[in-house]
Amino acid sequence: MHIPHDAIQRYEYGERVSHWLLAISFIVATLSGLAFFHPSMYWLTHLFGGGPWTKILHPFLGLAMMLFFVLLGLRVWHHNLIDANDRKWLLKAGEVMMGNEEAAPPAGRYNAGQKVLFWLLALCMLGLLITGFLFWRPYFADALPVTLVRLATLLHAVAATGLILLVIGHAYMSFWTKESIRAITEGWVTRAWARMNHPAWYREVERDR
Ligand code: HEM
């Protein structure tokens, strides 16, 4: 792999591995969950060895996803704290989407859109974890009031829908922002990318050089 001598490192090896294990576990947990979302998707159970096996595996696949999210989250959460600059950025988000980046205050390591997305992902993950435990038969659900179990099932589906939409948005934006993908596959970005997409972060990196 050819890395230009003036490239800037954005992700360390461990962060990239956590991210891709997270992405893979998201896909398998989602496919095994969708299998039970609607009868039209029940055929997905074939991928996991049939209905009973899918039902047994899904919670563990979900826990694996949660584990990888926590591993990555512990490395990046402090870069996602929202400040006054981000609130101004969010008010200009429409213009940024239209390609007019200069209309918003310069973004740091992550722009405010990425930060909001990070916390929404975390919220959906937490929601899935709590509600999932509440109807994890036969370990927990049988001891709980049926109304609670039904509510948990509904909220689990709501959180899963939210997570799927957020991840689609996240993956779309990461292809849309050219060269971002390389940051999370190979770990580095060009100075031009940093200056254009995250000018305040670029200034920090330059200062610390
Ligand atoms: C095929 C799917 C995916 C692609 C193409 C993708 C792409 C990317 C890229 C390019 C970055 C670096 C962004 C930057 O540094 O500015 C990133 C970061 C990140 N991704 Fe993904 N990703 C995918 C799946 C996921 C999934 C499933 C999750 C979580 C459920 C996730 C959570 C994150 C998080 C937490 C970060 C760090 C950004 C932050 O802290 O704000 N990604 N991803």
Side-chain angles (χ1 to χ4, degrees), residues 3 38 41 74 82 85 90 104 117 129 146 151 178:
I3 303 178
H38 188 267
M41 286 186 268
L74 285 174
I82 291 169
N85 216 28
L90 286 170
L117 187 119
L129 183 75
V146 69
L151 185 66
K178 287 192 183 58

Side-chain angles (χ1 to χ4, degrees), residues 41-60:
M41 286 186 268
Y42 191 74
W43 61 270
L44 286 168
T45 57
H46 290 302
L47 298 174
F48 301 91
W53 267 114
T54 312
K55 198 114 193 164
I56 291 166
L57 288 172
H58 174 71
F60 293 103

Side-chain angles (χ1 to χ4, degrees), residues 10-11 19-20 22-24 26-27 65 69 72-73 76-77 79-80 109-111 114-115 117-118 121 125 163 167 170-172 174-175 177 179-185 189 193 198:
R10 192 156 163 89
Y11 291 101
H19 178 270
W20 291 114
L22 171 62
I24 293 166
F26 164 81
I27 291 168
M65 174 176 78
F69 184 80
L72 180 63
V76 296
W77 71 271
H79 295 305
N80 287 286
R109 184 182 162 103
Y110 295 118
N111 66 42
Q114 291 176 293
K115 292 182 180 184
L117 187 119
F118 174 81
L121 285 175
M125 289 277 178
L163 183 68
V167 171
H170 168 67
Y172 176 76
S174 75
F175 285 109
T177 312
E179 290 186 39
S180 287
I181 276 291
R182 195 171 50 211
I184 199 81
T185 51
V189 293
W193 182 93
H198 301 276

Side-chain angles (χ1 to χ4, degrees), residues 12-25 64-65 67-73 75 184:
E12 287 170 14
Y13 181 73
E15 292 165 331
R16 275 133 62 201
V17 172
S18 299
H19 178 270
W20 291 114
L21 288 174
L22 171 62
I24 293 166
S25 58
M65 174 176 78
L67 174 77
F68 295 130
F69 184 80
V70 170
L71 286 180
L72 180 63
R75 307 284 292 261
I184 199 81

Side-chain angles (χ1 to χ4, degrees), residues 123-174:
L123 185 70
C124 288
M125 289 277 178
L126 188 66
L128 284 168
L129 183 75
I130 296 171
T131 55
F133 266 110
L134 292 176
F135 68 106
W136 194 354
R137 282 196 181 84
Y139 301 124
F140 302 98
D142 291 346
L144 296 169
V146 69
T147 319
L148 180 65
V149 173
R150 283 182 189 153
L151 185 66
T153 321
L154 177 70
L155 292 178
H156 197 75
V158 171
T161 308
L163 183 68
I164 293 168
L165 293 176
L166 290 170
V167 171
I168 291 174
H170 168 67
Y172 176 76
M173 293 302 283
S174 75

